[in-house]
Amino acid sequence: MPKIKDLECVLLIDDDKPTNLIHKKVIEKTGLEVEVQALSSASEALDFLTSTGKYEQTDQMSKPGIIFLDINMPGMNGWEFMEAYQQLSDSQKARIVVIMLTTSLNNSDRERALRDKNITTFYHKPLRANMVMDLVNQHFDANL
């Protein structure tokens, strides 16, 4: 599959490391030429997006075009991440499609996610290759 314009990296944010590993494999299975960055905390993800903390000298790293975000995580949860994300500069948020990816069956979580203008959609785990490709086809241009 060719490189996709504005999609150099996919960011997985989930405190469950085996889930991140499985989802990374799913993305690799699509054949997309993207880097997959799997982080186990929302606060670390904010550092990654803003090139701060342990990512301070990494502002040349590929920034994500898609973020798959879990809701229920210790420390900063997905909702708290989104509150902080909304405060980021436009350049730090540029061309990022945020997807809530969760096991939550709570209908209010789905409704809340769909009301948030920074969240594109709400998916239930596990991530599947067709979900990734649907997002890519909807939000990105395959032509460089």
Side-chain angles (χ1 to χ4, degrees):
M1 169 151 281
K3 287 187 83 100
I4 305 295
K5 184 176 172 28
D6 296 323
L7 184 59
E8 297 175 8
C9 177
V10 173
L11 178 59
L12 303 171
I13 308 170
D14 195 316
D15 63 303
D16 186 63
K17 290 181 182 181
T19 296
N20 275 339
L21 180 65
I22 291 166
H23 290 167
K24 184 174 182 174
K25 295 287 185 199
V26 167
I27 294 166
E28 290 170 354
K29 186 178 174 182
T30 67
L32 290 170
E33 288 186 40
V34 295
E35 173 188 343
V36 180
Q37 188 71 241
L39 303 178
S40 57
S41 81
S43 58
E44 183 180 359
L46 285 171
D47 286 349
F48 178 76
L49 292 173
T50 59
S51 299
T52 57
K54 77 178 195 179
Y55 299 98
E56 190 170 0
Q57 302 298 322
T58 63
D59 53 344
Q60 299 304 314
M61 286 179 67
S62 298
K63 294 300 178 190
I66 298 175
I67 296 174
F68 289 102
L69 175 64
D70 187 26
I71 294 175
N72 298 312
M73 296 181 283
M76 177 183 279
N77 67 31
W79 301 120
E80 293 163 331
F81 171 86
M82 288 308 300
E83 288 172 19
Y85 178 83
Q86 289 173 13
Q87 305 305 313
L88 298 180
S89 70
D90 287 341
S91 66
Q92 292 167 323
K93 294 192 291 189
R95 206 58 184 112
I96 296 179
V97 178
V98 179
I99 293 83
M100 280 286 188
L101 183 63
T102 182
T103 56
S104 174
L105 298 176
N106 187 338
N107 211 26
S108 65
D109 281 338
R110 179 179 177 75
E111 291 168 6
R112 182 177 176 185
L114 296 178
R115 280 193 310 269
D116 188 319
K117 67 179 177 64
N118 288 304
I119 298 174
T120 303
T121 195
F122 184 95
Y123 284 155
H124 289 282
K125 291 179 188 175
L127 182 63
R128 294 180 303 282
N130 66 313
M131 297 160 101
V132 175
M133 293 312 298
D134 286 348
L135 287 167
V136 169
N137 291 330
Q138 286 176 355
H139 300 283
F140 296 90
D141 183 1
N143 300 318
L144 288 174

